[in-house]
Amino acid sequence: MPQYFLRSSMEHLTFRIPELLSIGKLFDFPIRFITPEEDLQRGVIVIELDDEKHIQHILDRSILTISANELYANATNYDDLHARLQERRQLFDPDMDTSFRITVECVNNRALNKRAREIINSFAWTGLRGKIELENPDVEFVVLEDYDFVTIHTKDERLKRDGKFEHVYFGKRVGVSRARPLINVHDIKKRAFFGNTSMEAEMGLLTAGQTLPAPGKIMYDPFVGTGSLLYAVAHWGSYVLGSDIDARQFRGKQKGKDVTPGILRSAEQYGVRDKFIDTPCFDVTQGPWRRGGWLDAIVTDPPYGVRAGAKRTGKSATRKRNQLRDEPFMLPDGTWSHEKEGYLPPSKAYELVDLAQDLVQLARYMLVPGGRLVFFLPTISDEFEHVDVPVVEGMREVKFGDGSVQDFGRWGRRLITMEKTAQDDGPPPTFGDHSDLIGEDRIPAHHQFAKRYFEKPERPEKPQWTAPGAALKADTVEAVTAETEKLAV
């Protein structure tokens, strides 16, 4: 079975394997990882596939894969690499008379020009007779050196490091990622409509990939904001809809006669306007859904209070002054209060523990069997345990290792992917109080996240600095004082 070595991005390391597994799940093919588990976060990953066409699916969909190459041989040094290649000399026969080039690449390094030429010349024994074509060769052979990551400060350090790789791979180029350029296409700086909570393009595309987007599927974002996740999902052909409690989030400023919501202006920019079903304004806990079991995926990045807080309709139980009304009332001009232009219903904070549990219950009800729920869960890093992930019967978490984490040091965003295993819709979610999930012995790492995020971490007390000789001086003063008192007596 063919083996391939993938050159992977060194960003978002914990997202790489889940992304590949999701691509395999979507197109129904297995991926066997030849690289040992402890090395899966290096710059090169070796995989085995049943069919050559499957590598094209990876190049079509993978954001974190830079290029894919058919593996001929690999080793820890060039002597062993050449020896192994000479045992498989027949691999070069089909390409003997075609135009070719040999490319030397490095992970966490850049080979010196002189050494790169020496490496290329060392493959003269292959006997390739075709024309060397540097621009558009029929075949491109790749030499890829994998180095450990280190911080280099001087040119001398780079010279000493060059050639001291951990592993070297040789093979034939299959192609480069056709999905990775989307990071630039969806760059927020070039977007027609965005806000201060818009998700960066690369992370939005990675999140969308976990939903298994494909033509004809229907996907929903209950906290749509400015729509970053929906653009990425719609790019792969899925129909999308989103809602938010505050319509200003997705409408934006509407100038002059242009009343097109901002989220649709960006959809037109990306050529996916026809994939947007609707973007209604409502509180997800008061949704208008009449039945469940019709969504293929729910994907969202819930607000958690750092740049914007989650809200739900209702009045806060802790508010004492200026109590909000429970019922609509008639204004002096004869109109109802809630029908007045610019009316905003009363809202209260939506605790993250309640929100996460409600979200999973909503997915249990709304998804088709096998549908996915993909959402970010912000947590305090040192306190997170997997028991914090909401548990609902009929839903299971899909994860690899410790999961996908966007690490910010003291805290991180965890991408939670869940799959509906139940075959029925189950009861609609009640959106009740989930304070029972918070116990004396265990507080979820996302409980009151915003409050804990803004708390200053305790700093260890600094040891008191004592000047050199200070202790000796103090002893001397005490001794002199004692002697003076003795003479006075």
Side-chain angles (χ1 to χ4, degrees), residues 91-219:
L91 292 173
F92 297 95
D93 291 342
D95 305 311
M96 191 68 70
D97 297 315
T98 57
S99 64
F100 73 95
R101 77 176 179 190
I102 299 177
T103 303
V104 179
E105 297 180 350
C106 301
V107 176
N108 296 323
N109 190 48
R110 183 169 62 85
L112 298 174
N113 292 336
K114 180 180 178 182
R115 192 173 69 85
R117 287 194 297 269
E118 293 172 352
I119 293 171
I120 293 171
N121 292 334
S122 69
F123 288 93
W125 61 264
T126 58
L128 294 169
R129 297 187 295 267
K131 179 183 177 182
I132 298 176
E133 183 64 58
L134 299 182
E135 293 297 328
N136 295 299
D138 295 324
V139 177
E140 181 182 6
F141 296 104
V142 178
V143 181
L144 181 56
E145 297 175 346
D146 184 18
Y147 291 75
D148 288 333
F149 175 79
V150 296
T151 302
I152 298 176
H153 299 285
T154 66
K155 183 178 179 180
D156 289 340
E157 289 177 345
R158 178 175 170 246
L159 293 173
K160 291 179 181 178
R161 168 182 168 80
D162 190 45
K164 296 180 180 179
F165 49 80
E166 290 296 311
H167 230 81
V168 59
Y169 302 82
F170 184 91
K172 183 194 295 187
R173 177 88 76 199
V174 176
V176 297
S177 173
R178 294 179 284 273
R180 191 162 176 78
L182 290 173
I183 298 174
N184 184 54
V185 173
H186 285 247
D187 187 357
I188 295 177
K189 296 178 182 178
K190 304 175 183 178
R191 189 172 295 172
F193 172 69
F194 60 90
N196 64 342
T197 60
S198 296
M199 183 178 292
E200 62 272 26
E202 184 172 15
M203 188 53 61
L205 290 163
L206 288 173
T207 304
Q210 291 297 301
T211 65
L212 310 183
K217 290 187 176 183
I218 302 175
M219 302 189 176

Side-chain angles (χ1 to χ4, degrees), residues 47 119 189 193 201 231 251 347 351 367 406 418 487:
I47 62 173
I119 293 171
K189 296 178 182 178
F193 172 69
Y231 308 135
R251 287 178 184 165
S347 62
E351 162 56 37
L367 293 178
Q406 192 176 13
M418 307 190 80
L487 291 174

Side-chain angles (χ1 to χ4, degrees), residues 432-471:
D433 179 18
H434 302 294
S435 57
D436 57 310
L437 299 175
I438 305 170
E440 295 181 359
D441 57 337
R442 179 64 196 157
I443 298 177
H446 54 286
H447 174 55
Q448 294 186 342
F449 176 79
K451 177 182 177 181
R452 295 155 76 186
Y453 172 87
F454 288 109
E455 288 178 349
K456 293 184 178 180
E458 295 183 4
R459 296 182 178 180
E461 294 185 6
K462 294 183 178 179
Q464 295 294 327
W465 181 79
T466 305

Side-chain angles (χ1 to χ4, degrees), residues 308-327:
K311 299 288 185 181
R312 59 183 300 182
T313 54
K315 65 178 184 177
S316 174
T318 60
R319 188 166 180 170
K320 296 180 180 179
R321 298 180 62 185
N322 300 325
Q323 290 287 342
L324 298 174
R325 295 175 180 267
D326 291 319
E327 301 294 335

Side-chain angles (χ1 to χ4, degrees), residues 341-476:
E341 184 178 357
Y343 168 80
L344 293 176
S347 62
K348 60 182 180 180
Y350 198 176
E351 162 56 37
L352 195 54
V353 171
D354 293 334
L355 186 155
Q357 190 70 28
D358 289 343
L359 191 58
V360 180
Q361 290 182 355
L362 177 67
R364 167 69 173 82
Y365 175 65
M366 297 295 296
L367 293 178
V368 299
R372 283 192 168 188
L373 165 66
V374 182
F375 68 101
F376 272 104
L377 186 68
T379 60
I380 304 301
S381 299
D382 294 340
E383 301 177 15
F384 176 78
E385 296 180 14
H386 253 92
V387 294
D388 294 340
V389 178
V391 177
V392 172
E393 185 179 357
M395 298 288 294
R396 72 174 184 90
E397 185 182 3
V398 180
K399 67 184 182 70
F400 178 87
D402 293 330
S404 301
V405 185
Q406 192 176 13
D407 189 5
F408 296 104
R410 193 169 66 92
W411 72 284
R413 292 197 304 182
R414 295 178 179 272
L415 186 62
I416 307 297
T417 300
M418 307 190 80
E419 186 175 271
K420 181 174 177 177
T421 57
Q423 298 301 308
D424 64 322
D425 296 342
T430 58
F431 300 104
D433 179 18
H434 302 294
S435 57
D436 57 310
L437 299 175
I438 305 170
E440 295 181 359
D441 57 337
R442 179 64 196 157
I443 298 177
H446 54 286
H447 174 55
Q448 294 186 342
F449 176 79
K451 177 182 177 181
R452 295 155 76 186
Y453 172 87
F454 288 109
E455 288 178 349
K456 293 184 178 180
E458 295 183 4
R459 296 182 178 180
E461 294 185 6
K462 294 183 178 179
Q464 295 294 327
W465 181 79
T466 305
L472 177 62
K473 182 178 179 181
D475 293 342
T476 303

